[in-house]
Each structure stands twice: as C-alpha cells, then as structure tokens.
Amino acid sequence: MSRTRQWQERWDAALMGNYGTPQVALARGEGARVWDVDGREYLDLYAGIAVNALGHAHPAVRAAVDAQLGTLGHVSNFAVSRPVVELAERLQELTGLERVLFTNSGAEANEAALKIARRLRPGGGFVACEGAFHGRTMGALAVTGQPAKRAPFEPLPGPVSFVPYGDADALAAAVGSGTASVVLEPVLGEAGVVVPPAGFLEAARAACDAAGALLHLDEVQGGIGRAGAWLSSSVTAPGVEADVVTLAKGLGGGLPIGAVLARGEAAHALRKGDHGTTFGGNPVACAAALAVLRTVEDDGLLDASTKLGERLARGVAALEHPLVQGVRGVGLWLGVVLSAPVAAEVEQAARAAGFLLNAPAPDVLRLAPPLVLTEEQADAFLAALPSVLDAVQASTRVRA
Ligand SMILES: *Cc1c(COP(=O)(O)O)cnc(C)c1O
C-alpha cells in the first residue's frame, strides 16, 4: 500500500467526515513546488486555497515566525505587542481604512463585520449575493448564497435577502432603511472566479449611501495581491470605497489570521466589550503577515502577479482546446471555464500529471498559485495542459 493510501486511512479513522478524504498527502514544499509522502513532486497552483501568497517555506515568513516565537508568542488582548500594532498601522497605510480588528480566519472576520453593521443599525438585515461564499460559521453562512450549504443549519441569523451577482437593479431594490449592510465579494471566488459586470460595485455603493447601510467588501480571497493589487476591488471597481473590508487567506503567509478594516462610523462602532477573540491578532501570525506585506512590496509581487496572470490566461486561451470555453479572472486568480462539467476529472488528471489545482464548480477550474510562481513554472503548466485535457476528453467520450 502506498504511503499516501496509509495516511488517507489514518485521516479517515481520526478526522470527521466534513472534508471527505483528501486526494493528496503532502510532506513538504518549497516556493510553488510541493512533494507528497510518496516522493512525487507537484506544482502547487492553488496555494492552500489562495493562502500561500509567498509559496511554501518562504525564508522571510520562517524568519519572522521564528524570531517572534522566540521572544513573545502570545499575549492576549490584555497586552499591547509590537507586531500587532505595526501590522494594523501597515494595513491602514496600504488601504486608507481607519481602524483594524484582527481575527483568526475569514469567517470570523465576516462575523465581526456583521456585528459592526448590526451595532450601527440595531435589528437591521443584510443583502448578499446568490453564489457568494462568506464562510461556515452561523453568521457568515447566513449571508452565503448557496442554499445547499445553509439548509441543514437553519434557522440562521437574518433577515438576509439574496440578489443575483451583477444585477444592480435587484440589489438597489433589496436595499432599504432596514438594511444594516450589503455584503459582497469584489470577485466571486468559490463560485469560480466570477468578475462582476462594470458598474455593479458602484451601484452597490450608491444603494448603500441612499439607505444609510454599510458596504462590506469581502476580500478574504481576493485581498493581499491575489488580484494584482492589495485589494481586488481596486481592480474590479476602482474608486469604490467600502465601509468595511474583510481579509484573511493571503494575509498570513500560511499562518491563520483574518482582519476587519473599516472607515467612518463603522471604524468606531464597536464599544468596549462588544467583541473579542483570544487568539485574534496573535503576535506570531501578525509577524508573519508583516513579512508577507514587506516581501510582496520589496519583490514587486503585485505587478509580477498581474503579468504572470495575463501570461497564464493568454496561454490557456491560445490552446484553443475544445474543452476550454474561456478564461476569466484578475491577477493570479483565474477561472478556466470548461465546455463540459468535467472539472473534477481535469483536477484528477492534472494531479496525475504533477499539477495541483481545484474545481470550485463542475465546469470551472481555479488557478490561484503562489504569487512567487515563476514564468517557467507557468509555462510548464501550459505545456502540460493540452494532454491533460485530451486525456479527460478521451475518457469522458468513452463513458458517453
Ligand atoms: C475562504 C473564504 C471565506 C472564509 O474564510 P475561512 O478562513 O475559511 O473562514 C470567506 N469569504 C471568502 C470570499 C472566502 O473565499
């Protein structure tokens, strides 16, 4: 039995069934490359679901974590510590938002943002989008526009109205004096990297202004370089300023950290005792995040990822493979839309060929590689993709 199989069996015997059995058992990584427990090498094109912005085992993150853990690992929010303040200040500078609250995950950042909105409009409801994903805790799940994920856990906090993503008129009609906030992804991530139509986020801003509701942009997946900018909304809707922005995935370079950033009255809505988290803003996670921000800036990774993303998108489109219907996305955050619902099969065939990517929808592949991916690595994937697609096409034709 392979080592992978042995680890899968131990996983199944010890862990709950909510994830199913992972198809790969990884042992180590370096940059955009990872190796499994049987010694097979892969190019990592999903980066732990858009998390490992600097890839695996980046020296800057390792040094920052090691130094922080060697001096002060955890203090709680009863004490000030340097990395926490420095990270908050850095995020203020990078985004222009006024105040920061740290959490441990994206869902927790969204929970806090929902509480901020409720604090300002007691009893208020929320407007969110069909197909959107905001996390798995009860509040974040309540605004997640995927009925199958919500249904088993209802009743959830509310009221929540869902509108089609991109439908500015439906959004404007749903927002009113009872709306605490409008919760939006500037690009739908889990739904398959869906870029909004021009004007949609602008219309959301206008509807919020008219109703006195907060505009909450969920940048948990799109923030910190994924879209070739610190915030993905500055690519898909330049000029639209949110009241509340949530971050997580790419921020910590692999360490668990989330953040809520806010301006105006939302920045000052929470009063002493209103909210808290023991681990949120842990100095080690904050030190890792500072290393990520510094490295992204020093190494010019925002521009590099924009260029590399364009190279990948052009390359996929140029294949003119019958299974590829189109490519969409921004920065190093791409959805390859297939002409048949065989994304899971392509994911599996790509893995067999040494490439890790994932299939967020039956007909969409997501590419969200580390921002440190090299041109050579991108080209190696493009060179291998036709035979991966051919293999899937051949096997699905046999089944049909
Ligand atoms: C992943 C994700 C979340 C949830 O983050 P967790 O850290 O998994 O709780 C929320 N919103 C978006 C847009 C995400 O992609």
Side-chain angles (χ1 to χ4, degrees), residues 333-354:
W333 195 19
L334 301 175
V336 179
V337 184
L338 303 176
S339 55
V342 292
E345 286 87 340
V346 176
E347 176 186 331
Q348 193 183 340
R351 187 166 55 243

Side-chain angles (χ1 to χ4, degrees), residues 105-108 110 133-136 185 189-190 218 220-221 248-249:
S105 68
E108 283 175 87
N110 285 332
F133 182 79
H134 299 293
R136 305 293 200 143
E185 289 170 88
E190 292 308 298
D218 178 347
V220 166
Q221 188 162 150
K249 291 191 165 89

Side-chain angles (χ1 to χ4, degrees), residues 60-94:
V61 177
R62 289 171 60 187
V65 167
D66 191 52
Q68 189 58 45
L69 205 49
T71 50
L72 197 60
H74 177 79
V75 297
S76 86
N77 297 296
F78 292 151
V80 176
S81 76
R82 184 175 146 171
V84 179
V85 176
E86 287 184 352
L87 180 61
E89 290 172 348
R90 193 73 193 104
L91 290 170
Q92 285 176 320
E93 285 165 15
L94 291 177

